[in-house]
Amino acid sequence: MVLIQRCDSYDKELILEKIKEVFDKNGGIEKYAAPGLNVVIKPNLISKKSPDAAATTHPSIVWAVAKLCKEAGANVIIAESPGGPYEKPYLTGIYKGTGMAQVAEETGALLNYDLTETKVTCEEAKYLKTIGILTPLAQADRIINLCKLKTHGMMVYTGAVKNMFGSIAGLKKAEYHLKMSDYDQFADSIIDIFLQNHVSLNIIDGIVGMHRDGPTNGDPIHTNVLISSENAFEADLAALDVICANPMRVPVFKMAYARGLCGKDCSNIDFGNGLKPEEVKVPEFIVNYNEEFKNLYFKSGPLGKILQKMIRPRPVFNKKLCKACHECEKCCPAKVITVTKENKAQVKLEGCIRCFCCQELCPFKAVTIKKPLINKIAIRSRNK
Ligand code: SF4
Ligand code: SF4
């Protein structure tokens, strides 16, 4: 069952009522939080952005979930591995900047500083059968996944399923990008990582989402919904329907459908007595699809390779905006970025795997994704 609630404000008392309804409709808070249970809340804290930037899960939602779980007697931990290094000072800055430190202070929830990882195994995984994830997530009795509704440069959309990529510690995420640089393979690895985490409940913060150049440098947009479900794939399909996106052009859902983990669209989803996606659609939400050219016309051969090179979207660095902070250099999985003597980031495109981590993590919006004109024409003609 997927619950869609209309909600147009982060007013704490309003959010508290909405989250109470989420628990009630899913069988009661006692299913998720009780004395002796370790409940781990996994928000999206991708970088040190203020809640108004709409890049991270809003603290009002984390506050309401933490408060209700604490009142039910559970031990509550807020855990996340953001985009940068997984180190205590970095985490402290993230917790403060995203409003989580205040949530912890007000609710009694603990902020995770356990920097270890624990090996987990999942037979259903396609590629990543055994991996290391953040220890609190591996040891949780319940995981409550509190994600944000956003676009994503590489994976088109990020919501519930993709949010659990944050269970991989810090810069180790880059290793997954490098090993699985093909978009479909990477999407499959995102699904595997999601399956390795036993998520009990997913709540998508779609009150203010992010469109255009997400997941960090896009524009906030009022989408005015909270979407929740025990089934992350269905919650995401509902969100994609709300923003009028085609799930079969979003790599994670194309691959999840192929693996039999979800439907092609919302047609078989039970929305209970609540709202249906068509009642809350946001047609002005802009999604930038990102199909690789090889999936469009040419699969191989010399001509295909030349055209792929010509047509692939690429990261472009704006010298005027670059502040030489080295973040992109540190996070680039392919190690093709250097900061020059003139204090400007530059990229060697030959080795670039188009993961767009640089665009995602640049704090100064100095990196954009540029699509050559021929790419736009090819994709437009494909969609006719
Ligand atoms: S491009 Fe952005 S992340 Fe890279 S060095 Fe410049 S300011 Fe820092
Ligand atoms: S330059 Fe940017 S897009 Fe290319 S591999 Fe490095 S981080 Fe990824």
Side-chain angles (χ1 to χ4, degrees):
M1 196 273 292
V2 173
L3 176 68
I4 300 181
Q5 298 160 294
R6 217 184 286 269
C7 188
D8 60 3
S9 146
Y10 287 111
D11 174 82
K12 277 163 120 180
E13 292 311 313
L14 174 69
I15 297 291
L16 191 62
E17 286 313 305
K18 298 283 178 189
I19 298 296
K20 274 183 190 164
E21 193 188 345
V22 170
F23 284 121
D24 289 346
K25 291 262 166 76
N26 280 287
I29 182 89
E30 57 283 2
K31 234 175 105 182
Y32 304 96
L37 286 186
N38 284 319
V39 176
V40 178
I41 294 175
K42 163 65 179 77
N44 181 329
L45 308 178
I46 186 168
S47 60
K48 196 174 153 188
K49 298 259 182 187
S50 91
D52 295 343
T56 52
T57 308
H58 198 281
S60 291
I61 296 173
V62 185
W63 171 82
V65 173
K67 179 177 163 64
L68 293 170
C69 291
K70 281 295 286 181
E71 283 171 5
N75 307 313
V76 179
I77 303 167
I78 299 169
E80 160 73 318
S81 162
Y86 195 51
E87 297 164 357
K88 194 173 175 190
Y90 192 77
L91 280 179
T92 302
I94 294 271
Y95 289 145
K96 201 166 169 228
T98 57
M100 295 303 124
Q102 200 180 334
V103 168
E105 208 179 292
E106 288 177 16
T107 61
L110 299 173
L111 297 170
N112 176 54
Y113 283 106
D114 177 348
L115 303 180
T116 62
E117 45 181 279
T118 297
K119 286 253 177 299
V120 287
T121 299
C122 172
E123 278 312 310
E124 248 188 301
K126 188 167 171 183
Y127 297 116
L128 308 175
K129 291 203 181 287
T130 300
I131 56 169
I133 63 170
L134 308 187
T135 294
L137 287 164
Q139 294 179 347
D141 295 306
R142 303 283 186 273
I143 297 173
I144 303 185
N145 181 16
L146 300 185
C147 56
K148 190 81 175 168
L149 193 166
K150 296 185 291 179
T151 49
H152 191 275
M154 181 193 186
M155 289 283 105
V156 181
Y157 160 86
T158 170
V161 176
K162 170 86 175 53
N163 195 37
M164 296 315 294
F165 189 44
S167 64
I168 302 297
L171 298 174
K172 281 205 173 161
K173 294 184 198 78
E175 291 172 24
Y176 288 94
H177 277 290
L178 200 58
K179 276 191 219 150
M180 309 273 184
S181 59
D182 175 272
Y183 285 9
D184 289 347
Q185 255 194 351
F186 186 70
D188 263 325
S189 69
I190 293 286
I191 296 168
D192 286 351
I193 291 165
F194 173 80
L195 296 174
Q196 294 278 8
N197 285 275
H198 298 285
V199 174
S200 304
L201 183 64
N202 306 275
I203 303 175
I204 303 178
D205 169 7
I207 297 173
V208 180
M210 178 180 279
H211 71 154
R212 294 198 176 98
D213 300 321
T216 52
N217 292 324
D219 299 327
I221 176 168
H222 285 267
T223 34
N224 299 329
V225 284
L226 278 172
I227 300 173
S228 52
S229 178
E230 291 188 347
N231 184 324
F233 295 94
E234 292 193 347
D236 278 336
L237 284 176
L240 287 164
D241 209 1
V242 169
I243 61 173
C244 306
N246 176 352
M248 294 302 105
R249 295 183 68 191
V250 179
V252 166
F253 299 94
K254 185 177 81 172
M255 302 317 285
Y257 173 66
R259 287 167 68 167
L261 293 168
C262 65
K264 251 182 168 168
D265 53 34
C266 286
S267 48
N268 291 321
I269 295 177
D270 171 16
F271 290 100
N273 299 325
L275 294 164
K276 311 254 182 319
E278 55 267 30
E279 295 172 80
V280 285
K281 276 194 191 271
V282 187
E284 57 274 28
F285 195 107
I286 294 171
V287 178
N288 292 323
Y289 294 105
N290 200 12
E291 281 101 340
E292 288 182 287
F293 188 61
K294 67 177 181 169
N295 295 331
L296 299 176
Y297 296 118
F298 294 87
K299 296 222 181 286
S300 58
L303 181 62
K305 280 189 185 149
I306 292 166
L307 284 169
Q308 268 184 53
K309 269 193 182 171
M310 280 169 64
I311 207 165
R312 292 183 87 186
R314 64 177 192 277
V316 174
F317 291 73
N318 182 321
K319 288 192 173 152
K320 282 192 188 142
L321 296 178
C322 176
K323 302 271 187 280
C325 70
H326 293 264
E327 281 303 313
C328 57
E329 194 180 43
K330 280 188 255 167
C331 76
C332 173
K335 301 286 168 225
V336 291
I337 301 174
T338 43
V339 176
T340 64
K341 281 184 198 143
E342 294 77 38
N343 281 336
K344 299 296 162 196
Q346 66 176 22
V347 60
K348 275 194 189 143
L349 276 175
E350 301 85 73
C352 169
I353 58 169
R354 269 66 170 183
C355 63
F356 304 122
C357 293
C358 46
Q359 179 255 359
E360 189 173 319
L361 295 175
C362 173
F364 301 102
K365 296 193 176 190
V367 188
T368 50
I369 301 172
K370 189 161 182 210
K371 282 185 183 167
L373 184 64
I374 186 171
N375 173 302
K376 293 179 192 164
I377 294 167
I379 289 183
R380 213 175 291 140
S381 63
R382 176 183 181 249
N383 295 329
K384 275 183 183 165

